[in-house]
C-alpha cells in the first residue's frame, strides 16, 4: 500500500504542478492529500511493529509530534517562495525531499506481522 500510495502521490504532485486549469489542480491536490494521509498512517503502523508493545504508544506520540512539527517551516517557506517564484515551483520544491523517501520504500523489509499471519 505504501509504495503504490507514494507512486500515485508522485504522479498527482507532478500533475498539479503542471495543471492546465483549476479543475485538474483541485483533483490532483485532492489525490495528493489522500496519499499523504495514507502514507502517514502506513508509516506509523509500520514503525510501531518493530517496537515492543509497552513502547508503542510513546513511539506513536513521538512520531506524530516530529512529523507535524515541520508544518510551521513549510508555511514560512511558502510565504517566501510564493511571492518570488510562484506556486508551481513551490509545489516542485516541496516535492523534492519526497524523492529519496520514494526510493527508500523499495528497500523496506516486509511487515513482520503480515509474514507471521500468512
Amino acid at each position: 500500500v505504501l509504495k503504490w500510495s507514494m507512486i500515485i502521490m508522485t504522479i498527482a504532485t507532478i500533475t498539479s504542478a503542471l495543471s492546465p486549469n483549476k479543475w485538474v489542480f483541485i483533483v490532483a491536490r485532492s489525490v495528493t492529500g489522500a496519499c499523504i494521509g495514507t502514507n502517514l498512517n502506513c508509516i506509523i503502523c509500520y514503525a510501531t511493529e518493530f517496537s515492543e508493545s509497552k513502547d508503542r504508544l510513546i513511539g506513536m506520540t513521538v512520531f506524530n509530534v516530529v512529523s507535524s512539527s515541520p508544518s510551521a517551516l513549510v508555511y514560512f517557506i511558502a510565504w517566501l517562495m510564493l511571492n518570488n517564484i510562484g506556486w508551481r515551483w513551490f509545489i516542485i520544491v516541496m516535492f523534492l525531499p519526497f524523492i529519496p523517501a520514494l526510493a527508500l520504500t523499495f528497500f523496506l523489509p516486509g511487515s513482520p506481522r503480515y509474514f507471521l499471519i500468512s
Side-chain angles (χ1 to χ4, degrees), residues 1 4 15 17 48 61-62 65-66 68 86 94 97 104 114 117:
V1 172
W4 283 107
T15 302
T48 56
T61 304
V62 169
V65 169
V66 169
S68 63
M94 289 291 108
L104 289 174
Y114 174 77
I117 291 171

Side-chain angles (χ1 to χ4, degrees), residues 58-79:
I58 293 170
M60 287 174 54
T61 304
V62 169
F63 180 82
N64 284 328
V65 169
V66 169
S67 66
S68 63
S69 297
S71 296
L73 181 62
V74 171
Y75 291 124
F76 179 71
I77 293 171
W79 177 72

Side-chain angles (χ1 to χ4, degrees), residues 13-26 28 87-88:
T13 301
I14 293 169
T15 302
S16 66
L18 302 174
S19 62
N21 60 49
K22 66 180 178 181
W23 298 110
V24 173
F25 179 78
I26 290 170
W87 63 269
R88 291 180 192 267

Side-chain angles (χ1 to χ4, degrees), residues 44 50 71 76 92 113:
I44 289 171
F50 296 99
S71 296
F76 179 71
I92 292 170
R113 290 184 186 205

